[in-house]
Amino acid sequence: LAGLVAAICLAGCGALPDKPARAALYDFGPGLAAPAAPPASATGSAPRALPMIALAEVDANSRLDGTQLLYRLGYADSNELRPYGQSRWSQPPAQLLRQRLREGLSAGHTVLGPEESATIARTEGRLPDSLRVTLEEFSQYFESPERSVGLVRVSATLTRSQPGGDRVLAQRSFTARKPAPTADGPGGVKALAAATDAAVAELVAWVDQAR
């Protein structure tokens, strides 16, 4: 009887479900190289102050508010966004994009957040130009079962505060596509990180030209 009970217990333990696998967390990597020091003035006595720019929080539609790694099957139904089950971002994509954008802008600007911008306005009576960015698309797009790209699309508006109200200096949309090395979640992460860097580089160059 004791042997029968032990056998039943062992069988029951073997039937227990396995512990669910933890989803892999991803981000864009360690970041860009440190920004270069501001150039010296004509006299060579002191570095030139970088122009200020206020970077607002990046907006995104509700589908991109979470941390899911999303993909589209362009060859089947490109209108459906699907999530990977075991691959997630460490933060919502809009926050990851803002970190990358801040790094890119800081090479040639003093980048201020909303609170810092408000402090400048209160203490110095002026507002820096403001950059608002909306993340519109952020997904791994499968052109076929074996081939996919990281697809990033953002829109940006650069404004300047004036006594009569804000004036739009420039407005533009940016789209970047980068091939995924593998047709899976980790491949999509690499492709989306590369596409984000490409979009950020183009956006930063546009800001410099528009001001």
Side-chain angles (χ1 to χ4, degrees):
L1 180 60
L4 179 60
V5 171
I8 293 174
C9 289
L10 289 173
C13 291
L16 290 176
D18 292 335
K19 184 178 180 179
R22 176 182 292 182
L25 293 180
Y26 296 96
D27 58 20
F28 289 163
L32 304 175
S41 66
T43 62
S45 58
R48 188 183 69 215
L50 295 175
M52 292 188 298
I53 187 167
L55 178 61
E57 297 296 330
V58 174
D59 295 324
N61 64 52
S62 58
R63 194 67 177 91
L64 299 176
D65 281 344
T67 59
Q68 292 177 319
L69 176 58
L70 302 174
Y71 66 94
R72 296 180 188 269
L73 300 180
Y75 59 89
D77 185 359
S78 61
N79 293 326
E80 182 180 0
L81 274 172
R82 308 163 189 248
Y84 279 102
Q86 295 300 318
S87 297
R88 304 184 73 88
W89 297 108
S90 60
Q91 301 179 72
Q95 295 182 27
L96 293 172
L97 170 62
R98 189 178 186 278
Q99 290 175 359
R100 224 40 160 194
L101 184 54
R102 187 182 184 103
E103 291 172 358
L105 288 169
S106 64
H109 304 80
T110 298
V111 185
L112 306 177
E115 294 183 359
E116 297 164 317
S117 181
T119 300
I120 292 292
R122 185 173 62 254
T123 58
E124 300 183 15
R126 61 191 179 98
L127 285 172
D129 293 345
S130 178
L131 177 64
R132 300 195 66 88
V133 175
T134 300
L135 181 60
E136 299 175 346
E137 179 68 24
F138 193 83
S139 66
Q140 182 181 8
Y141 186 86
F142 280 86
E143 300 165 340
S144 71
E146 299 82 20
R147 188 174 66 252
S148 64
V149 298
L151 177 59
V152 175
R153 185 172 68 251
V154 300
S155 62
T157 302
L158 185 64
T159 60
R160 177 167 294 169
S161 295
Q162 296 179 331
D166 291 346
R167 176 169 68 91
V168 175
L169 297 178
Q171 193 171 52
R172 185 180 162 186
S173 294
F174 303 84
T175 301
R177 296 177 176 86
K178 291 295 180 180
T182 54
D184 54 13
V189 168
K190 292 184 182 299
L192 283 165
T196 299
D197 284 344
V200 165
E202 191 175 357
L203 201 160
V204 169
W206 168 77
V207 168
D208 291 338
Q209 295 172 358
R211 299 186 73 190

